[in-house]
Amino acid sequence: MNYSLYENFYSNPQAYWFWFAVVFVVGCCMGSFLNVCIWRMPLGESVITAPSHCPKCGHQIRWYENIPLVSFLCLRARCSGCKQPITWRYFIVELLTGILFAIAYAAITYKNMYFSFIIPAGAMIMLAVASSFIDVEHRIIPDALNFPAMITGIIFWGVECALGDWNWRLFIAVLVCGFAAWGFFYLFSWLGEKFFKTDALGQGDVKFLAAAAFLFGPAMFIEYFIGLLVASLSGFLFGAGYCLIKKQSLRNCTIPFGPFLAFGMVLAMFIPNLN
Ligand SMILES: [Zn+2]
């Protein structure tokens, strides 16, 4: 991807670090929203309506108690109502999302891509972080995470292709990539279940991989495969090691695959240009 529109913007170090900081703060705020998703989505609760409250005493979280990273530290990881400890997950998710957003920004500028690519990159990071935490605890990746990520990918590429001269071939290619990945992994999962009696690749994982394909688009085809390879290898090695330590047979011992998919795909996004 060439750029001309943002040339001065990138070559000016003050502007670079200003936007680096902005992207980090936005990432932390997105992490704060992901905490709500991680807590409520497995319970089937809405993530938009109903203000946040302490699950122990029902104390309603006021706006100044909801500032990413800062509030958690100021409250010393305790609810201001009942003084019960708040899990460190809140802080970790906010910080992790902020750091990954900042790395994505650095990777995008390094690769001379348009700043707008922070949108699919951010969506991929949000899907990865939320699905990892939910998958470890509940062994699912909710549709409520996968479908918005897919839709973000489709809308992003639609707008990207419509700007300038309408590049409908690229947009068709994005749709083909996404649906082909969905179909392929669906078939893979179905065959595994039917012939090998394993549910190594659950339906949540299948939709996660489809969402990643919609977000990556055809230009990052190679990166997508590297991400897949990293996910499979790291998942297999960790799983085998875990089962050995637990002294369980490989058939009875399962690990959530979501975090490995998330790791592979986020890592793949940060690979420098291959072509
Ligand atoms: Zn409380």
Side-chain angles (χ1 to χ4, degrees), residues 88-99:
W88 273 86
R89 188 186 68 216
Y90 286 93
F91 186 79
I92 292 165
V93 167
E94 285 165 0
L95 186 62
L96 179 65
T97 312
I99 289 172

Side-chain angles (χ1 to χ4, degrees), residues 54 56-59 79 81-84:
C54 167
K56 282 155 187 156
C57 71
H59 166 77
C79 165
C82 62
K83 306 290 172 205
Q84 292 279 317

Side-chain angles (χ1 to χ4, degrees), residues 24-33 35-36 52 60-78 86 90-95:
F24 174 75
V25 171
V26 169
C28 293
C29 295
M30 292 299 167
S32 185
F33 172 66
N35 275 316
V36 180
S52 300
Q60 198 167 317
I61 314 292
R62 286 178 285 251
W63 68 267
Y64 56 84
E65 293 173 338
N66 216 354
I67 301 164
L69 304 180
V70 180
S71 295
F72 187 89
L73 294 176
C74 289
L75 293 167
R76 288 170 221 276
R78 277 169 201 285
I86 306 168
Y90 286 93
F91 186 79
I92 292 165
V93 167
E94 285 165 0
L95 186 62

Side-chain angles (χ1 to χ4, degrees), residues 1 117 120 149-162 166-183 209-221 224:
M1 297 281 169
F117 276 84
M150 284 181 199
I151 292 164
T152 304
I154 293 169
I155 292 176
F156 170 78
W157 285 105
V159 171
E160 201 70 18
C161 294
W166 167 235
N167 188 352
W168 60 273
R169 283 187 189 85
L170 177 60
F171 187 59
I172 298 290
V174 170
L175 295 181
V176 168
C177 278
F179 285 112
W182 199 339
L209 285 165
F214 279 117
L215 289 166
F216 276 42
M220 286 180 66
F221 195 68
Y224 184 81

Side-chain angles (χ1 to χ4, degrees), residues 239-254:
Y242 179 82
C243 300
L244 269 177
I245 291 165
K246 289 266 170 184
K247 293 195 172 60
Q248 287 178 345
S249 76
L250 282 174
R251 191 159 287 272
N252 297 326
C253 165
T254 57

